[in-house]
């Protein structure tokens, strides 16, 4: 019985720790997103700026944010945004999509990239945080 109780406690601890780590990642990602704010918006009421708004990015086809004037390179890239694609792109946008208008040198730090994805991917297409 003691082993069963101990096992259950371990599972609860691991689950709670994982949830806290995910929340910390998104919070750290919000800080990283400050680098993006000059050109991009996210969240309720987000509008296109120099770059498109990023609500609902996970699963969205590149070049399809409403009312944003994308480069042909971006519109024709064939990319559907997901975690792996975003992480590759954000390291060096011009290498991933040659001809993109995005003038950003990229983020090289893996932890920061992971945190940024945790933040960006939590928003649905309406700018609400997914439940």
């Amino acid at each position: 019985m003691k082993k069963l109780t101990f096992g259950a406690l371990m599972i609860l601890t691991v689950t709670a720790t994982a949830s806290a780590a995910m929340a910390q990642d998104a919070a750290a990602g919000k800080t990283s997103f400050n680098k993006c704010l000059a050109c991009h918006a996210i969240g309720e009421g987000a509008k296109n700026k120099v770059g498109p708004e990023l609500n609902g990015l996970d699963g969205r086809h590149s070049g399809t944010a409403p009312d944003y004037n994308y480069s042909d390179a971006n519109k024709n890239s064939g990319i559907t945004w997901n975690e792996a694609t975003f992480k590759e792109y954000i390291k060096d946008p011009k290498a991933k999509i040659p001809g993109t208008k995005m003038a950003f040198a990229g983020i090289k730090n893996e932890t920061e990239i992971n945190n940024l994805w945790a933040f960006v991917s939590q928003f649905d297409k309406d700018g609400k945080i997914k439940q």
Side-chain angles (χ1 to χ4, degrees):
M1 185 67 163
K2 286 183 182 181
K3 286 183 181 181
L4 182 59
T5 302
F6 180 74
L9 261 169
M10 288 301 293
I11 291 171
L12 286 173
T13 301
V14 168
T15 303
T17 303
S19 295
M22 286 173 38
Q24 290 170 353
D25 291 346
K30 182 177 182 180
T31 300
S32 295
F33 192 76
N34 288 333
K35 294 177 181 179
C36 312
L37 276 175
C39 299
H40 296 280
I42 198 164
E44 292 186 61
K47 302 280 185 220
N48 295 326
K49 294 179 169 183
V50 172
E53 55 85 9
L54 298 178
N55 289 330
L57 187 65
D58 191 15
R60 184 166 90 189
H61 295 283
S62 183
T64 62
D67 302 320
Y68 183 76
N69 185 22
Y70 285 95
S71 65
D72 287 338
N74 209 301
K75 288 188 280 190
N76 300 322
S77 70
I79 289 175
T80 298
W81 295 108
N82 60 31
E83 183 174 2
T85 304
F86 174 84
K87 288 178 177 182
E88 182 182 348
Y89 176 80
I90 203 65
K91 288 178 184 175
D92 189 352
K94 290 189 180 289
K96 180 69 177 169
I97 303 178
T100 184
K101 295 189 300 187
M102 186 158 159
F104 181 66
I107 297 172
K108 310 303 186 220
N109 181 285
E110 293 291 332
T111 300
E112 185 175 2
I113 291 169
N114 291 336
N115 293 343
L116 185 57
W117 176 252
F119 176 71
V120 170
S121 65
Q122 70 181 342
F123 292 93
D124 68 15
K125 66 181 180 65
D126 297 320
K128 296 184 189 308
I129 292 180
K130 299 173 190 171
Q131 298 299 325

